[in-house]
Amino acid sequence: MAVDFKLIGKRIQEKRKNLNKTQEDLAEYLDVSVGYVSNMERGTTKISLTTLANISDFLRCDVSDLVSKVSTNGSSYLNEELSTLINLLTNKEKNTLLSLLQAYVNQSARH
């Protein structure tokens, strides 16, 4: 089985953006150049397991989230992404989101 570095890079980029982090932030954390991060996210650079572990620490996720074959359209992926974003919110923001989501579900059920 070949390693899909483009898919891994895409997942790194998506998770990084969801955390409102820049390539510069990730490069600084990894002590590498921004160009390296760019190449990594485009899948043109092969990432070592050690680097991947450091990236997962930065992105607050498991290495398996970056390398598994789970489709980005699957429910487990969506649940994980939602969970990641929700964890960035304050309790007040979570309550607001909950109210909005409940209203949305109730409105959708009527149609």
Side-chain angles (χ1 to χ4, degrees), residues 16-32:
R16 176 182 57 75
K17 286 182 176 182
N18 284 340
L19 292 172
N20 294 317
K21 299 292 185 178
T22 65
Q23 286 184 337
E24 290 82 5
D25 295 331
L26 180 54
E28 182 178 328
Y29 183 84
L30 297 174
D31 196 27
V32 298

Side-chain angles (χ1 to χ4, degrees), residues 5-19:
F5 287 100
K6 286 187 180 187
L7 180 59
I8 293 170
K10 180 181 176 191
R11 288 179 177 165
I12 291 169
Q13 182 182 52
E14 288 173 353
K15 289 182 179 298
R16 176 182 57 75
K17 286 182 176 182
N18 284 340
L19 292 172

Side-chain angles (χ1 to χ4, degrees), residues 26 73 80:
L26 180 54
N73 295 324
E80 177 188 323

Side-chain angles (χ1 to χ4, degrees), residues 6-7 15 19 22-23 29 33 47 50 54 63 69 71-72 78 81 83-84 89 95-96 104:
K6 286 187 180 187
L7 180 59
K15 289 182 179 298
L19 292 172
T22 65
Q23 286 184 337
Y29 183 84
S33 70
I47 308 167
T50 301
N54 290 333
V63 171
K69 291 288 184 183
S71 167
T72 57
L78 294 174
E81 290 303 306
S83 178
T84 298
L89 301 175
N95 283 326
T96 301
Y104 178 79

Side-chain angles (χ1 to χ4, degrees), residues 35-52:
Y36 179 83
V37 172
S38 176
N39 288 336
M40 185 177 56
E41 288 184 352
R42 286 185 284 120
T44 59
T45 295
K46 294 181 179 179
I47 308 167
S48 73
L49 190 54
T50 301
T51 300
L52 201 55

